Amino acid sequence: MQAKINKVELRNLEFEDYKQLKNSMVESYPAMADSYWRVEHIEKLLEIFPEGQLVILVDGKVVGSALSLIVDEKLVDKKHNYLQIVGDYTFSTHNKNGEILYGIDVFIHPNYRGLRLGRRLYDARKELCEQLNLKAIVFAGRIPNYAQHAKKLSPKNYIDKVKHKELHDPVLSFQLSNDFHVIRIMKNYLEGDEASMEFAVLLEWNNVYYDESPKLINLDKSIIRIGLIQWQMRQLNNIEALFEQSEFFIDVVSGYGSDFALFPELFIAPLMADYNHLSEAEAIRELARHSDPIRKRFQEFAISYNINIITGSMPYMENGNLYNVGFLCKRDGTSEMYRKIHITPNEVQHWGMKGGSEIKTFDTDCGKIGILICYDVEFPEVSRIMSDEGMNILFVPFLTDTQNAYIRVKHCAQARAIENECYVAIAGCVGNLPKVNNMDIQYAQAAVFTPSDFAFPSNGIKAEATPNTEMTLIVDVDLDLLKDIHEHGSVRILKDRRHDLYQVKKLNS
């Protein structure tokens, strides 16, 4: 990553974006003269199909775009070139009643490649295809490395080698990794594309939800995928070793399409080994120096892997006070801090920690969530307030040394899921940690708990990890089931409360 990124935004293109769009496009296609959209072209596209024109912004700057038309399936089946598909830039081929979303351009500014921003544009196109109930996405992809191999390989041979990963093509390899399949080779497709020798590959992604009826797919996301990391405590040589191990797990859970990754409480404790010659209170304050660098790196991971990361917790110094905090690093590049409110006697006695003073929920692209650190989940008032603010999923990073301590967290978390009619996900550290005082042993079993009713597992446990073993747990939760239980459950805990007799509310709001 070249520079610190504060915010990533994907939205529909607006006419006011044109100047930035043009500048980024010129830098994206340096080998192709005049390779940018004219202002009248953008104006026309926004007039006929505004929802099909997408842009990625980084800190307010347009750094990528994906432009599309809707065309008839018969047009795609015919032999065609680029000028024909765009109607010689009149876009007369666009038909709102067509069956195919045809991609006419996609690019990412060179300075922002490697962050998987192109994947976001492709995913957004797929969502649009589903929402508009179109049959497929089709486009003709360039093969810019082909000229280097043209003397020895035909286009067909070249494509086969790219498909089998014997060769890499920066465009085709990426498209194939995004579930597009080859339909046929297009000759003389884009005039002036010398790198591809004017060949292109017609690619297709099929919409499995396509229905010949005009019914649209529900726009609200119901199924949320959660990736829990059950972290093995191990000696680490430095902070880069921590980042390497963390990125491995983030890569794993994001590779399975997870919307969230949850790390445990104080999983960075192995870095405290360098300070074991100090008192416990001094050592953890030295560890706190790593918290800001860790937040920044996890923000980068959230962007690069397109996943919301809950960073467990870590010590944090502020105004001379030591807190137990974590960060919600969102995939749009922003982050928010949460603090442990209730501090255990051990944390006070050995480390001199103080509790936070704010109860809050967090807005995400998957709805409203809550985060409580370990001991906090044993106080039902806090999560009840979060539930009243609309929380659907409660995340609980924890650290427990013994099995009986874990049982407290587990059963309280299950109770929170039942009484607040929400999902509760917990993740902790496992194993032993020599050479770090006050962190000798850990016991954990990551899990996702549910309300207790017919739509959910009979024991209220959606999934559990193997106890005391390093692993990931990937779980889907359905938010629509929560909506149903709120109104039609066997019992309706949230609706049946006696507000005339008792209330739970914030005192500092």
Side-chain angles (χ1 to χ4, degrees):
M1 187 170 295
Q2 299 297 316
K4 180 178 182 296
I5 292 177
N6 295 307
K7 178 140 181 117
V8 178
E9 181 183 8
L10 189 155
R11 62 166 170 78
N12 286 111
L13 173 67
E14 298 172 358
F15 186 74
E16 291 74 19
D17 297 324
Y18 176 74
K19 184 176 180 180
Q20 291 186 15
L21 178 79
K22 174 184 173 182
N23 292 340
S24 288
M25 204 173 171
V26 168
E27 295 192 49
S28 297
Y29 300 122
M32 300 176 67
D34 297 325
S35 56
Y36 62 88
W37 292 98
R38 294 341 189 228
V39 64
E40 62 268 25
H41 298 152
I42 296 301
E43 190 173 23
K44 183 66 175 178
L45 286 171
L46 292 177
E47 175 188 341
I48 63 173
F49 188 31
E51 58 268 49
Q53 321 314 324
L54 307 170
V55 286
I56 285 269
L57 292 86
V58 173
D59 295 334
K61 175 185 175 183
V62 175
V63 300
S65 180
L67 309 179
S68 309
L69 300 172
I70 298 175
V71 301
D72 294 328
E73 189 173 14
K74 293 180 180 178
L75 180 60
V76 173
D77 291 339
K78 294 179 181 178
K79 180 181 178 181
H80 62 271
N81 60 30
Y82 188 75
L83 278 179
Q84 290 169 336
I85 209 69
V86 297
D88 201 13
Y89 297 105
T90 66
F91 310 116
S92 58
T93 51
H94 176 72
N95 178 5
K96 66 179 182 180
N97 297 316
E99 302 89 359
I100 303 297
L101 185 68
Y102 199 107
I104 59 173
D105 198 9
V106 62
F107 70 89
I108 295 292
H109 190 289
N111 292 348
Y112 296 88
R113 291 170 186 168
L115 295 174
R116 297 176 173 84
L117 300 182
R119 189 178 297 273
R120 295 197 192 197
L121 289 171
Y122 275 76
D123 288 346
R125 267 187 181 166
K126 292 173 184 177
E127 290 180 13
L128 179 65
C129 183
E130 293 174 359
Q131 291 166 9
L132 296 179
N133 193 35
L134 298 175
K135 193 171 185 178
I137 301 172
V138 173
F139 60 86
R142 300 173 61 235
I143 43 176
N145 279 3
Y146 177 60
Q148 304 170 25
H149 303 274
K151 291 183 179 180
K152 296 182 178 180
L153 298 174
S154 68
K156 180 182 182 303
N157 296 143
Y158 177 81
I159 292 168
D160 285 340
K161 286 186 175 294
V162 173
K163 288 170 66 174
H164 291 96
K165 302 188 185 301
E166 297 174 28
L167 291 175
H168 176 79
D169 185 278
V171 176
L172 182 58
S173 296
F174 175 75
Q175 292 160 344
L176 293 174
S177 71
N178 277 275
D179 301 321
F180 285 84
H181 62 269
V182 175
I183 301 177
R184 62 180 180 271
I185 298 169
M186 312 283 283
K187 189 176 181 181
N188 301 321
Y189 183 76
L190 181 61
E191 184 177 354
D193 184 7
E194 296 179 359
S196 305
M197 300 189 71
E198 297 190 359
F199 285 101
V201 183
L202 195 66
L203 295 139
E204 183 180 53
W205 175 85
N206 295 306
N207 175 15
V208 298
Y209 299 112
Y210 175 70
D211 187 342
E212 290 185 359
S213 72
K215 180 182 177 181
L216 294 179
I217 303 300
N218 187 350
L219 301 185
D220 294 329
K221 188 169 185 178
S222 171
I223 306 299
I224 308 300
R225 182 161 293 176
I226 301 170
L228 309 180
I229 292 117
Q230 190 155 284
W231 179 275
Q232 172 77 46
M233 288 296 202
R234 54 169 61 80
Q235 294 184 16
L236 298 171
N237 293 329
N238 51 46
I239 194 172
E240 287 302 321
L242 175 84
F243 291 147
E244 181 179 353
Q245 187 67 22
S246 301
E247 185 174 11
F248 165 78
F249 282 116
I250 294 167
D251 187 16
V252 168
V253 298
S254 69
Y256 284 97
S258 298
D259 297 292
F260 292 95
L262 174 63
F263 282 84
E265 179 184 22
L266 294 176
F267 76 102
I268 72 167
L271 296 176
M272 204 156 41
D274 289 343
Y275 316 116
N276 213 37
H277 60 285
L278 303 174
S279 70
E280 293 167 354
E282 292 172 325
I284 200 164
R285 282 163 174 77
E286 290 296 321
L287 181 64
R289 298 177 184 272
H290 294 296
S291 295
D292 275 326
I294 290 171
R295 174 186 60 80
K296 292 175 183 177
R297 183 65 68 89
F298 273 68
Q299 280 184 274
E300 295 176 7
F301 289 153
I303 294 170
S304 183
Y305 289 94
N306 192 23
I307 189 170
N308 301 300
I309 303 173
I310 297 158
T311 67
S313 81
M314 56 202 75
Y316 188 83
M317 292 295 299
E318 186 176 73
N319 298 324
N321 294 320
L322 180 68
Y323 298 95
N324 190 347
V325 313
F327 302 95
L328 170 60
C329 296
K330 301 180 186 179
R331 50 185 158 200
D332 68 0
T334 61
S335 70
E336 296 185 71
M337 179 189 287
Y338 50 89
R339 299 171 188 249
K340 189 172 187 177
I341 298 170
H342 302 91
I343 305 302
T344 64
N346 183 288
E347 290 171 301
V348 175
Q349 177 182 348
H350 293 277
W351 294 332
M353 277 188 168
K354 292 185 177 297
S357 58
E358 184 179 18
I359 301 172
K360 62 185 297 189
T361 52
F362 302 90
D363 291 314
T364 74
D365 55 5
C366 298
K368 197 176 288 288
I369 68 166
I371 305 172
L372 294 175
I373 301 175
C374 198
Y375 194 31
D376 286 335
V377 80
E378 299 176 29
F379 298 84
E381 300 88 349
V382 182
S383 56
R384 175 50 55 87
I385 291 170
M386 292 178 170
S387 177
D388 285 340
E389 293 182 357
M391 172 192 70
N392 289 315
I393 308 173
L394 176 62
F395 292 93
V396 183
F398 70 91
L399 178 71
T400 50
D401 53 355
T402 60
Q403 191 169 3
N404 62 307
Y406 164 73
I407 290 298
R408 286 197 301 270
V409 172
K410 174 184 177 179
H411 287 314
C412 288
Q414 279 198 275
R416 303 298 85 85
I418 293 170
E419 67 199 17
N420 294 307
E421 296 175 342
C422 68
Y423 296 105
V424 180
I426 67 172
C429 295
V430 300
N432 306 318
L433 187 59
K435 300 183 180 180
V436 177
N437 293 329
N438 199 38
M439 297 291 294
D440 307 299
I441 58 175
Q442 287 80 36
Y443 182 94
Q445 183 178 22
V448 174
F449 304 120
T450 73
S452 184
D453 213 323
F454 294 114
F456 304 95
S458 58
N459 62 356
I461 302 174
K462 178 70 174 177
E464 284 183 304
T466 303
N468 254 21
T469 301
E470 184 170 60
M471 63 180 294
T472 59
L473 184 66
I474 298 174
V475 184
D476 284 348
V477 297
D478 189 342
L479 301 187
D480 282 347
L481 294 180
L482 299 182
K483 297 176 186 177
D484 186 69
I485 195 176
H486 293 339
E487 298 296 330
H488 308 295
S490 300
V491 294
R492 295 167 295 181
I493 298 172
L494 294 179
K495 291 178 70 71
D496 291 341
R497 287 175 292 171
R498 290 288 304 274
H499 293 298
D500 58 321
L501 297 179
Y502 55 85
Q503 289 185 349
V504 178
K505 61 181 180 180
K506 295 180 184 178
L507 297 180
N508 58 350
S509 59

